[in-house]
Amino acid sequence: MEPTPSRLATKASWLISQTAVHSRRFVAEGFTAAGARGYHYRVLAALEEFGPASQAELGRRCRMDRSDIVAAVTELEQKGFVERSADPADRRRNTVTITRAGTQQLQRLDRALDSVQDELLAPLSATERQTLVALLGKLIEHHGGAPTS
């Protein structure tokens, strides 16, 4: 591998973007091995944590485009991981609910993602991992992302 110019190697933005490349690859490989995609994990995690939601609400929570949320919910519904039904308060809106099979799939994906974290963060100690996660969360929160806690 060719050396990186020091002007780049000492910039946090460069290091974060290079780490993100590896992270995306590891996550994609881990989810593919589990028969899923990252969008599936996002949707199942949001439903498990916050309960039933409209597709629009899920899209906002998961930071997904409308067409992507519809596709992900359709895929999850076809696999029996979610159920979609008309919202009793507004028949024009669908409510999405996680199923027992969806909760089990989420647990499988949690294990796959834990393995990815171990691979990505292998050179770091447990304390360093906690520090890194806290610092990245602080940056995301500062720049308008979701709160870290």
Side-chain angles (χ1 to χ4, degrees), residues 23-122:
S23 176
R24 279 191 293 276
R25 180 173 47 87
F26 291 153
V27 168
E29 290 170 358
F31 283 154
T32 297
R37 298 184 310 130
Y39 283 165
H40 296 166
Y41 184 80
R42 289 188 203 181
V43 170
L44 292 173
L47 290 171
E48 194 275 331
E49 185 167 339
F50 301 112
S54 70
Q55 290 179 174
E57 191 176 14
L58 276 174
R60 289 188 299 273
R61 279 196 178 128
C62 299
R63 292 172 177 69
M64 291 170 61
D65 181 79
R66 181 179 172 191
S67 62
D68 292 332
I69 194 71
V70 170
V73 168
T74 299
E75 290 168 3
L76 291 167
E77 184 178 38
Q78 289 170 348
K79 295 179 180 192
F81 298 146
V82 301
E83 292 176 344
R84 191 174 6 197
S85 59
D87 184 332
D90 183 350
R91 292 294 208 189
R92 298 168 296 170
R93 183 171 51 190
N94 285 321
T95 298
V96 182
T97 306
I98 192 169
T99 64
R100 181 182 303 241
T103 299
Q104 292 169 342
Q105 175 68 348
L106 179 59
Q107 291 167 349
R108 284 189 290 275
L109 296 179
D110 279 335
R111 288 189 296 275
L113 198 52
D114 287 346
S115 179
V116 165
Q117 303 308 299
D118 288 341
E119 184 176 3
L120 179 67
L121 303 175

Side-chain angles (χ1 to χ4, degrees), residues 14-28 120:
W14 169 261
L15 296 169
I16 290 169
S17 67
Q18 294 306 297
T19 302
V21 168
H22 296 292
S23 176
R24 279 191 293 276
R25 180 173 47 87
F26 291 153
V27 168
L120 179 67

